[in-house]
Amino acid sequence: MERFDVLVLGGGPAGLAAALAAEEQGACVCLLEREARLGGILKQCIHDGFGLLRFGERLTGPEYADNYIRLLGGRNIAVRLRSFVTSLEKSGGGFAVTYTSRGGLHRLEAGALVLATGCRERTARQIFVHGDKPAGVYTAGTAQHLVNLQGVLPTRRCVILGSGDIGLIMARRLTLEGAEVEGVYEAKPEPSGLSRNIRQCLTDFGIPLHLSHTVTRVLGEGRVEAVETARVDERMKPVPGSERLVPCDALILSVGLIPENELAESLGIPLDPHTKGPAVDARFETDCPGVFCCGNAVQVHDLVDYVSEGAATAGRCAALRALGKEAAPAPALPVEYGREFVSVLPQRLRPGNEPAACYFRVAETRGPTRLVVSQGGAVLLQKSYRRLRPPEMERVSLRPGGSGPVVFRLEDAAEKAQNGPAAAPL
Ligand SMILES: Cc1cc2nc3c(=O)[nH]c(=O)nc-3n(C[C@H](O)[C@H](O)[C@H](O)COP(=O)(O)OP(=O)(O)OC[C@H]3O[C@@H](n4cnc5c(N)ncnc54)[C@H](O)[C@@H]3O)c2cc1C
């Protein structure tokens, strides 16, 4: 059976960065991608805004991906397209992988795996919209694929449910293509997408954002003819009497993304209920030694630059592991945090000299805030923020010491200034 040092699953920005970093360590690498082209979700993101941190310029999604794809030439990386991984098993000192491709089922072996399979969109099935099931209900990513890659306009007049970034970007895209976007409806009292997308995709195009509103019913025979919207109370329940019928031919859903992890689960790797991806350490290694996970598969990212950064670490560490060049890792230190956070990644750190990148999201929008990270009573890091919002993933760098959990805490900076030592300048 064919054998590689490192097998990378998925050819999006995470898989590309991981494969290149693994090969740079001298590993013999194979990258399997189920689609006909590399680039993952970036292929359909033709708007700009990618790469500000990584390349210092505003690139479109395909341009960002192309910067990595061009680097593959001449490397010891076997790229296999139209290759869909169907199963993983532990085998000897490594893993046996089965994938379908032209010619049927194939098997190969690898010393280490990097899972870079991205995420999928939540659909109408997961949000309980009542009514008929006519044609014309799309996820925002499907609508984006139709418009940007297939050249098909799926609507003349639509309603968008959910204010996630893909929905906001599609509100602008559909408007530019001549469709009317009646409005974006968001059940929460504040938008889920990045502030810059609210401004550039809705405000600049005069598209209304209806906060604390949802879609309660879809109506239409064969094709969507209207949707019923309603205001929701603080428990997200529709308020009787606030219903409104909105004529339209499509409902576009932008109601969240879920990391794609069936393959990780098939190896018995536990998922973190906060990130919905496998728990990892700062090397992006999961609880299953030799299996690394990165990009949107480990946690949904809003910036591709952070995807590439983390994936390069995962690829490098997978190669060192497969080549037997890795020193035995120091014992893991658990990362602890309270309800003021949605998540902190990684879920465990290890003492060492190299600073570890950590990413966090807050549970609610906050004004002036200080992040304090401590271990055994010693403060490892303090950082002040003017504002923190749940959609925006923040990054800090830490170097934890010998033992004990690493604790993340948020303090109201203004309160701290009154009650204790003066807050650092924001
Ligand atoms: C609409 C939209 C707009 C965005 N806008 C921005 C922006 O302006 N700026 C920014 O920085 N970021 C943006 N992002 C975020 C960024 O694009 C993503 O975080 C990034 O693309 C995730 O990369 P990934 O490689 O983890 O996943 P993906 O790009 O989804 O790649 C995963 C790959 O794995 C493959 N795969 C999955 N399962 C298998 C399997 N079993 N076998 C083989 N292959 C498999 C898939 O086909 C896919 O190619 C945006 C994202 C979206 C969706």
Side-chain angles (χ1 to χ4, degrees), residues 211-234:
L211 296 173
S212 299
H213 276 75
T214 191
V215 168
T216 41
R217 268 194 315 151
V218 179
L219 298 99
E221 275 185 33
R223 174 84 199 191
V224 173
E225 290 163 19
V227 298
E228 181 189 76
T229 66
R231 193 151 48 78
V232 296
D233 61 21
E234 50 297 333

Side-chain angles (χ1 to χ4, degrees), residues 54-67:
R54 177 74 183 77
F55 297 109
E57 54 177 332
R58 296 169 69 93
L59 302 172
T60 62
E63 285 169 337
Y64 186 97
D66 199 48
N67 279 353

Side-chain angles (χ1 to χ4, degrees), residues 366-371 383-386 410-426:
R366 301 173 62 104
T369 297
R370 188 201 304 269
L371 167 74
K383 188 168 178 187
S384 297
Y385 299 85
R386 277 186 198 288
L410 295 176
E411 290 173 354
D412 181 333
E415 199 179 283
K416 182 76 185 168
Q418 283 163 13
N419 300 342
L426 292 168

Side-chain angles (χ1 to χ4, degrees), residues 10-14 32-35 40-42 45 47-50 83-85 116-118 144 166 169 196 263 295-296 301-305 307:
L32 297 177
E33 165 56 51
R34 67 184 169 192
E35 294 191 358
I41 198 75
L42 297 184
C45 298
H47 58 283
D48 70 3
F50 296 83
S83 299
F84 181 61
V85 179
T117 46
Q144 189 178 51
I166 320 180
I169 283 159
R196 69 159 197 239
L263 289 170
N296 278 357
H301 289 62
D302 46 280
L303 284 187
V304 72
D305 312 64
V307 167

